[in-house]
Amino acid sequence: MTQPTLPGPIDRPRRLRSSAVMRSLVREHALRPADLVLPMFVREGARENRPVSSMPGVEQHTMDSLVRAATEAAERGVGGVMLFGVPEHKDAVGSGATDPDGILNRALARLRAELGDRTVIMADLCLDEFTDHGHCGVLDADGRVDNDATLVRYREMALAQAEAGAHLLGPSGMMDGQIAAIRDALDAEGRLETALFAYTAKYASAFYGPFREAVDSSLQGDRRTYQQDPANGREALRELELDVAEGADLVMVKPGLPYLDVLKDVAAASPVPVGAYQVSGEYAMIEAAAANGWIDRDRTILESLLAFRRAGASSVLTYYASEVAGWFQQGLPPHLREFA
């Protein structure tokens, strides 16, 4: 007895996956070097680069090597570089952050002189690298971070960084009112073109561990009283509303992959461009797994970056920025071309 032929499915999405050219035709998102921002570390007094052991391939730069690496990144087409300073001396109020001769401000001035407007020169605006207690602000008599006293220091830091030549400042301390305070200080001094990249949703995350090594952090305790609780998502939208109202030009979600849901929600609600930061712990996990042969390193890097774009990020801070931009400049090999 002949078995009846069952009707096939009406909808066949596989038709659009049938070949490389068909997949390329309907691809929704892609990567560009201009979407990527390279975080960089410069160490005061360094005579040679110092590798960051928990982040293979990442270094604390000397001033000269910083310029070379930033120039290479710009030539490869990266969208920007975000600079962090590692000072020799720290104190309770982070004096080095506002000293024109401090390592971060000198490095910003050198990069601006060397690169001009060839890429966006960004400055981390936070006190944690410069304080002997490692917190992102000044402490009160009880050892708590004093929000409003910290805003005074942020205003001073913003003016120093703008004077040094930064195109864009990244206030990352998660103090209430920080964007308004910084914007007011800049505008009062005629720095109307200096942009602000607000760290809008920055979580108290375990994924920052390797970064603490990269900046020689002196942190005592934790930052849970000012960074966001990892369990909260809606809170990010409140922070977004505040930052935009206070004058943020761009906003950011940090960390990246563990908070893609937050990134998607922020991107859907934001009237300004949204960035994401693929933080040190994310980088270290990829490198460790790749070193053990457990994953395809290059494809994993590109797939992770594409995830940020798919979730709504217009820019991604990643330690892979220059390397990936170099791949695009040279032409992606066949097994990676789907990411172009």
Side-chain angles (χ1 to χ4, degrees):
M1 181 176 180
T2 304
Q3 295 292 325
T5 302
L6 297 176
I10 295 174
D11 293 323
R12 294 182 182 271
R14 286 183 56 190
R15 293 189 187 109
L16 299 183
R17 306 168 197 154
S18 59
S19 65
V21 290
M22 183 66 79
R23 292 190 296 274
S24 177
L25 177 68
V26 299
R27 188 160 292 135
E28 298 174 27
H29 302 281
L31 293 172
R32 304 179 307 154
D35 302 328
L36 307 178
V37 175
L38 178 65
M40 306 185 75
F41 307 100
V42 58
R43 183 179 184 87
E44 188 172 19
R47 295 183 178 179
E48 59 183 20
N49 291 3
R50 179 179 296 185
V52 179
S53 64
S54 55
M55 300 175 69
V58 176
E59 299 175 309
Q60 294 177 340
H61 285 279
T62 67
M63 190 70 76
D64 289 340
S65 73
L66 174 77
V67 171
R68 290 193 296 270
T71 300
E72 180 180 61
E75 291 173 347
R76 291 174 172 178
V78 300
V81 295
M82 175 66 82
L83 196 57
F84 298 84
V86 184
E88 286 187 300
H89 306 289
K90 305 179 182 184
D91 59 29
V93 297
S95 300
T98 50
D99 183 351
D101 292 323
I103 182 59
L104 180 54
N105 295 322
R106 285 193 291 113
L108 288 168
R110 177 80 181 275
L111 285 186
R112 187 62 186 269
E114 297 281 351
L115 296 176
D117 296 329
R118 293 166 59 191
T119 194
V120 180
I121 299 170
M122 308 180 184
D124 177 60
L125 198 164
C126 194
L127 293 172
D128 60 322
E129 296 108 287
F130 299 93
T131 55
D132 54 14
H133 47 73
H135 280 287
C136 298
V138 297
L139 305 183
D140 63 18
D142 296 318
R144 298 172 299 192
V145 175
D146 186 326
N147 190 95
D148 295 2
T150 297
L151 296 184
V152 175
R153 295 290 294 132
Y154 284 3
R155 291 168 63 93
E156 296 166 349
M157 192 173 182
L159 293 176
Q161 292 178 342
E163 178 66 26
H167 296 101
L168 182 153
L169 312 183
S172 59
M174 290 299 289
M175 296 297 118
D176 294 337
Q178 63 183 16
I179 297 300
I182 294 167
R183 185 74 270 164
D184 176 70
L186 291 170
D187 289 356
E189 293 296 321
R191 299 285 182 181
L192 304 180
E193 294 186 358
T194 304
L196 297 182
F197 197 165
Y199 284 59
T200 289
K202 182 178 179 180
Y203 286 85
S205 173
F207 285 85
Y208 303 144
F211 178 89
R212 306 253 166 92
E213 179 193 351
V215 296
D216 289 358
S217 175
S218 304
L219 181 63
Q220 302 167 17
D222 59 57
R223 297 178 175 139
R224 292 189 178 98
T225 63
Y226 47 101
Q227 293 179 352
Q228 284 184 239
D229 190 318
N232 294 348
R234 286 194 301 270
E235 185 181 22
L237 298 181
R238 183 184 184 193
E239 293 281 3
L240 168 67
E241 184 177 359
L242 291 168
D243 281 348
V244 171
E246 291 176 13
D249 300 289
L250 304 88
V251 297
M252 185 193 303
V253 174
K254 179 182 179 180
L257 290 178
Y259 295 90
L260 286 179
D261 59 323
V262 176
L263 173 59
K264 189 172 184 65
D265 289 346
V266 169
S270 178
V272 301
V274 178
Y277 198 142
Q278 185 180 48
V279 301
S280 60
E282 299 173 62
Y283 177 94
M285 289 193 302
I286 291 174
E287 290 300 307
N292 278 281
W294 297 335
I295 58 174
D296 180 322
R297 177 182 181 273
D298 295 354
R299 284 186 60 83
T300 300
I301 291 170
L302 294 179
E303 187 175 340
S304 66
L305 297 177
L306 190 63
F308 298 123
R309 298 281 288 125
R310 191 180 63 249
S314 57
S315 58
V316 183
L317 282 78
T318 174
Y319 301 98
Y320 293 117
S322 186
E323 180 181 4
V324 168
W327 297 348
F328 278 81
Q329 186 181 59
Q330 297 165 10
L332 290 174
H335 76 292
L336 297 178
R337 285 177 187 162
E338 67 191 86
F339 296 98

